[in-house]
Amino acid sequence: MSVWWLLPLVVGFSFFLTAALRRYALARSMMDVPNERSSHSVPTPRGGGVAIVITFLFSLVFLCWTGWIDMAFFIGAFGTGAIVAVIGFMDDHGHIAARWRLLGHFVAGGWALFWLGGLPELEAAGVALHLGWIGGAFALFYLVWMLNLYNFMDGIDGIASVEAVCACLGVCILYGVSGHQALIWAPLFMAAAVAGFLIWNFPPAKIFMGDAGSGFLGIMLGVFSLQAANVDSRLFWVWIILLGVFIVDATFTLLRRLARGDKVYEAHRSHAYQYASRQYGRHLPVTMTVLLINMLWLLPIAFSVIRFNVDGVLATIVAYVPLLVMALKYHAGELEPKVISAKH
């Protein structure tokens, strides 16, 4: 049974559901009001990422029912996504203490790993790594970090949506090139679900994603990468490369703030992409630059891992060095001048 015909319906369903959520947010005054930590200047409805969650989870049900994804992956992905989305939805509508959010994130990650079978054997620098329970612990922290870094990086119009669409469509191409077409369906339907929302979220955004959507995307992309690694370890490095913009900016910023002794769970706007958006005075140039980096730099490097069997670790280093230079250029993790002056 072909499911290609369903993709336009998924995009349309996500689009109209986002519109409905926007009307609901406006009616209930669920607005993201700008403050000193915001990267936007106009009050904007929030919570639109719920459209991505609902659309994709319905898609998973259909894909499992028609046999395009296996039951273990369905149970793991559906349960993990639902847990994270509920936590994010509750936090969007009130406040959940950071420790309880984090506990929920680890539970969700553990659920996914149970059904995926943990971290598979990975090949790094030509060496096969059998990490056992250490690998399982690493995979759990990896999933939780992917969830949170995506939340951190969802700070300007369209950037999180564009990153997800680029990564998912890019990896679908590489799944096809590597002969692993069976893996295509989940990321392809995720791209379609995000595309419907992106129409509303593209700069200037008419609605924001919210924690329910950003956390859901982060952990689901992590789940996709571990699913792929179980089939071909090269595909794990492909995902790490394709998500390089978010991984480098978020990780470098976090390490810099940790070294300075900041409370890393507190809101801030010291990511490189946030500094860049303020420098250029608009979100659109930054979001479009992320798209171009993904398609013109990261995708070709990921392609080399699959087509020319370039070592995944080496390819990741090559991909990340310019991203790290850009993070430094745009002051990732540095205190804003006004914050510095306030301390003196």
Side-chain angles (χ1 to χ4, degrees):
M1 178 181 180
S2 174
V3 295
W4 291 99
W5 60 270
L6 191 59
L7 291 172
L9 296 181
V10 171
V11 175
F13 183 78
S14 177
F15 172 83
F16 287 111
L17 184 54
T18 304
L21 288 167
R22 184 173 183 271
R23 288 195 296 271
Y24 173 81
L26 288 170
R28 296 297 182 92
S29 298
M30 293 170 51
M31 307 293 288
D32 198 320
V33 179
N35 56 44
E36 68 278 4
R37 296 298 185 186
S38 301
S39 295
H40 64 289
S41 57
V42 179
T44 305
R46 66 176 185 268
V50 171
I52 299 172
V53 175
I54 294 174
T55 303
F56 181 69
L57 291 183
F58 273 132
S59 299
L60 276 185
V61 172
F62 178 83
L63 290 171
C64 183
W65 177 58
T66 53
W68 290 97
I69 60 173
D70 63 69
M71 182 62 73
F73 174 74
F74 168 74
I75 295 173
F78 191 98
T80 296
I83 292 170
V84 169
V86 168
I87 293 170
F89 181 83
M90 292 172 63
D91 202 43
D92 282 336
H93 288 72
H95 176 70
I96 301 176
R99 62 181 179 277
W100 298 117
R101 287 203 309 272
L102 195 60
L103 176 61
H105 296 165
F106 274 102
V107 169
W111 177 264
L113 289 173
F114 175 81
W115 291 99
L116 290 173
L119 182 71
E121 174 187 302
L122 294 178
E123 185 172 318
V127 178
L129 302 176
H130 307 272
L131 299 178
W133 69 267
I134 296 176
F138 166 80
L140 180 58
F141 278 92
Y142 164 72
L143 288 178
V144 173
W145 176 228
M146 285 297 297
L147 186 165
N148 283 280
L149 78 82
Y150 222 88
N151 190 308
F152 298 155
M153 294 295 291
D154 178 33
I156 63 172
D157 299 349
I159 191 170
S161 305
V162 163
E163 179 77 355
V165 171
C166 288
C168 287
L169 292 183
V171 84
C172 286
I173 294 171
L174 299 180
Y175 285 166
V177 170
S178 61
H180 299 301
Q181 290 87 349
L183 294 174
I184 286 175
W185 302 110
L188 185 61
F189 275 77
M190 179 66 85
V194 176
F197 168 79
L198 177 57
I199 297 170
W200 292 96
N201 186 236
F202 196 78
K206 298 177 179 63
I207 189 169
F208 292 157
M209 187 178 292
D211 289 351
S214 60
F216 176 82
L217 278 178
I219 200 165
M220 293 309 301
L221 297 180
V223 168
F224 293 166
S225 69
L226 293 180
Q227 177 203 25
N230 273 286
V231 176
D232 184 337
S233 68
R234 296 177 303 168
L235 295 175
F236 177 76
W237 300 111
V238 161
W239 274 104
I240 296 299
I241 292 167
L242 292 176
L243 292 169
V245 172
F246 272 31
I247 292 174
V248 170
D249 192 347
T251 304
F252 185 75
T253 299
L254 176 74
L255 292 175
R256 217 169 194 181
R257 297 185 73 228
L258 278 172
R260 195 168 55 238
D262 290 353
K263 296 178 180 178
V264 295
Y265 54 84
E266 290 185 348
H268 65 95
R269 55 175 196 169
S270 61
H271 288 281
Y273 77 91
Q274 292 170 318
Y275 275 111
S277 70
R278 293 197 294 279
Q279 177 176 324
Y280 297 117
R282 293 191 300 156
H283 295 183
L284 182 60
V286 181
T287 298
M288 293 307 296
T289 298
V290 169
L291 186 151
L292 292 174
I293 291 172
N294 287 335
M295 304 312 296
L296 301 181
W297 175 246
L298 298 178
L299 180 58
I301 293 176
F303 177 82
S304 73
V305 174
I306 296 301
R307 185 65 180 84
F308 304 111
N309 209 30
V310 174
D311 180 74
V313 174
L314 176 61
T316 300
I317 293 171
V318 171
Y320 278 20
V321 167
L323 301 180
L324 183 57
V325 171
M326 290 184 67
L328 288 166
K329 173 180 171 59
Y330 288 103
H331 314 291
E334 290 185 10
L335 283 172
E336 295 181 71
K338 67 176 183 180
V339 177
I340 295 174
S341 63
K343 287 192 172 185
H344 286 280

